[in-house]
Amino acid sequence: MGKIKPFVKEKNFLILMTGVFINELGSGIYLIAGMLLVLELSGSVLYSGIAVFATTLPGVLGFLIAPLANYMKYKNGLVSSNFIKALLLFTIPLIHYTVGLDVWYLIAVLFLSSLLSQFTYPIESTILTIIAGKDNVVDANAYLQTLRQSMDFIFIGSAGIIVALIGSVNALMITGVCIFLVAVTYTFFTFKQPAQPDNQDPSFKGTLKQYPKDLKGGFIYIKGSIIPKMIISAVIINFLMVIMTTNMPAFSLIKGNGNEAIYGFYLAALSLGILAGTIISPKLKHIDFGKMIIFTYAASGVMWLGTALLPLIPSLILFSTGAVSISIFNILLISSIQKQVETHYIGRVITLLTSIATIGMPIGALVGGVIGDSFSPVITVIVGSMGMIIFSIYWLSSSVLRKLPNIEKVNLFPERAAE
């Protein structure tokens, strides 16, 4: 077993790990209970598509929200946003047991919760480099993602059973409590806030004046880099993934002969595959990135075709193994950005990447909802699997992407290196 890195024992990193642990404990239940409750209230896969559209749309708007994180202390931002999110979730059982819950109110709460996550995500990405240091970002990301996916695997599988036993509404109360505890945990952060640029006016009027400049700054910063090409890749991946995941509640009911717990098993299988990719990603950082992505995504396409066509057990296994490539791509790319981008720009650049990449998700949700409702949820998994194979062909046809060296040598800003 390898030696534990010094940053892992650092107080702030342990607090972050604890927050992630508690958050993942509740998020597994949230994923299953939220989507099943939408399906239960509406009785239509189309509404599942609308719900996924609502939860992914804030990701497209993330680049508008990320600069706001620079105008307040990171610790305060994390605490307040998680506290508000917990209060929103508490309203679901309150309304359900009083006046009655409407599917559109539920979708609105899912939208607002996702919107708050767009504020916390760039902060977490930024403080990770402050806490662990730029030289340790690959390992730090691997630690956090391993924890996230381990928790997902353990609790998402059981979450389906929990939802079946106590109901979706009561299960969402558990998520609310977990997120409230995350907010309390983050009050113990003691990391030093990076100094703001000397020319930044901290007043409200100055903030309004500075915001458009900060917003534009993220676009200018990545100009001439290879990040836009990566963004196109992420758009395609997200589009295909959401076509499938939108239909997973209905797809799992088909595979499991109406057993609601099977939905949890499929999400647990997805988490296990992502966990496996997370664990091995640091070991793959010396392999040519371009060739690795071409091979792994073609393999994912073939495996997910088997997910659609084979019985439950082999379907679960292939769904899991097909997800390995997703985390490899995400961890190596995000780690490369965190290592090469200036600290003050990390939140904006990563959020800009994820915001544009997320454009494919709400579109995929609506497309998936229409296909699943008009034909069959099984068809959407076939569409997603074939799309992954086409994606690998896209990388193969691009000389820039095909020839990318290992992630340690990939230069995201070749024009600056030439200057």
Side-chain angles (χ1 to χ4, degrees), residues 198-214:
D198 295 334
N199 61 348
Q200 184 163 309
D201 185 350
S203 67
F204 180 73
K205 184 177 179 181
T207 297
L208 290 177
K209 198 174 179 181
Q210 184 67 28
Y211 174 76
K213 296 179 182 178
D214 286 348

Side-chain angles (χ1 to χ4, degrees), residues 7 10 12-14 16 126-133 189 191:
F7 71 84
E10 204 271 327
N12 289 301
F13 189 78
L14 291 175
L16 183 60
T126 301
I127 67 171
L128 185 62
T129 62
I130 298 171
I131 295 170
F189 271 132
F191 60 82

